[in-house]
Amino acid sequence: MASEHSEETNADHADHTDNSALALKILVAGGFGVGKTTLVGAVSEIRPLRTEELLSELGQNVDDTGAVERKTTTTVAMDFGRITIRSGLSLYLFGTPGQDRFWFLWDELSQGALGAVVLADTRRLEDSFPAVDYFEHRRIPFVVAVNCFTNARAYGAHEVSRALDLDRGTPVVLCDARDRDSGKEVLIRLVEYAGRMHTARLLDSVS
């Protein structure tokens, strides 16, 4: 009997633990070749799911590889990864395709998302505008993460914010998409910001 009671207690505890765990959906967006797949792969604690295909000769006419000449593949659906921020809090990461012709997937991927990371490359900052506009128009909280490429000119967060004409308060952070700790800091910043935004909207709706 004691053994059966112990097993029941452990099962109840496991159920309670599972029920108290929180998983949040985060999008990682940005222009072509900005480092979305790299970021998801760097921070994911599981082997990331990738849907990459080799760049074709036909794609050369529509995919601007001007600042990323070494890029040979492109995401055609999404990247997926998972990271545990702390006990009871996990993030499911969905990397979006960067090219315009795959944007029909964005509406599906953004359903139920807490927020988004917009990766930016200062060598091609104009490529960030479509993602910024997308999330602003849909009122999805986002942070801009400047991927600091070694051969790119360094800009401060305030300069990037002005160049992208971001709404006041939208966070801009500098990062290295290859580095797990750097990527994790970006995600923590997003969760904190999105939490404040959702709380403020909730309070506004009941006031």
Side-chain angles (χ1 to χ4, degrees):
M1 287 292 292
S3 176
E4 292 178 0
H5 177 72
S6 176
E7 291 177 359
E8 291 176 357
T9 301
N10 291 336
D12 291 342
H13 176 70
D15 290 341
H16 175 73
T17 301
D18 291 341
N19 291 336
S20 63
L22 182 62
L24 303 174
K25 182 179 183 181
I26 301 295
L27 301 186
V28 180
F32 174 71
V34 78
K36 300 180 295 294
T37 298
T38 299
L39 177 63
V40 173
V43 301
S44 180
E45 62 197 18
I46 62 173
R47 184 176 181 179
L49 169 67
R50 293 172 175 167
T51 57
E52 290 193 308
E53 296 291 344
L54 291 173
L55 290 172
S56 66
E57 292 184 5
L58 291 175
Q60 291 177 357
N61 296 324
V62 291
D63 296 329
D64 180 10
T65 59
V68 285
E69 294 88 351
R70 296 182 181 180
K71 185 172 177 61
T72 59
T73 61
T74 183
T75 298
V76 295
M78 68 174 184
D79 300 311
F80 174 77
R82 185 188 71 206
I83 179 175
T84 301
I85 296 297
R86 57 173 171 77
S87 179
L89 176 59
S90 298
L91 303 182
Y92 289 162
L93 308 176
F94 292 82
T96 66
Q99 300 96 312
D100 293 354
R101 64 186 182 277
F102 296 125
W103 271 35
F104 65 93
L105 295 169
W106 283 43
D107 288 338
E108 186 72 24
L109 290 174
S110 64
Q111 292 295 321
L114 174 76
V117 174
V118 176
L119 271 178
D121 179 352
T122 57
R123 299 170 300 179
R124 302 185 301 168
L125 200 57
E126 66 278 3
D127 291 353
S128 302
F129 280 110
V132 168
D133 289 343
Y134 182 91
F135 296 120
E136 283 184 345
H137 290 159
R138 287 160 181 78
R139 302 188 70 215
I140 298 175
F142 68 94
V143 302
V144 172
V146 179
N147 193 7
C148 298
F149 290 92
T150 54
N151 58 340
R153 179 181 172 183
Y155 291 92
H158 182 65
E159 292 175 288
V160 172
S161 180
R162 290 184 59 187
L164 292 176
D165 193 26
L166 298 177
D167 290 342
R168 185 173 183 180
T170 302
V172 176
V173 294
L174 308 182
C175 75
D176 182 344
R178 303 166 298 178
D179 183 76
R180 176 181 171 84
D181 289 338
S182 180
K184 187 175 181 179
E185 286 301 316
V186 171
L187 296 173
I188 291 173
R189 184 75 175 274
L190 170 62
V191 170
E192 293 174 344
Y193 174 66
R196 293 196 301 269
M197 291 293 291
H198 285 294
T199 298
R201 291 172 184 172
L202 179 62
L203 293 175
D204 287 342
S205 67
V206 298
S207 61

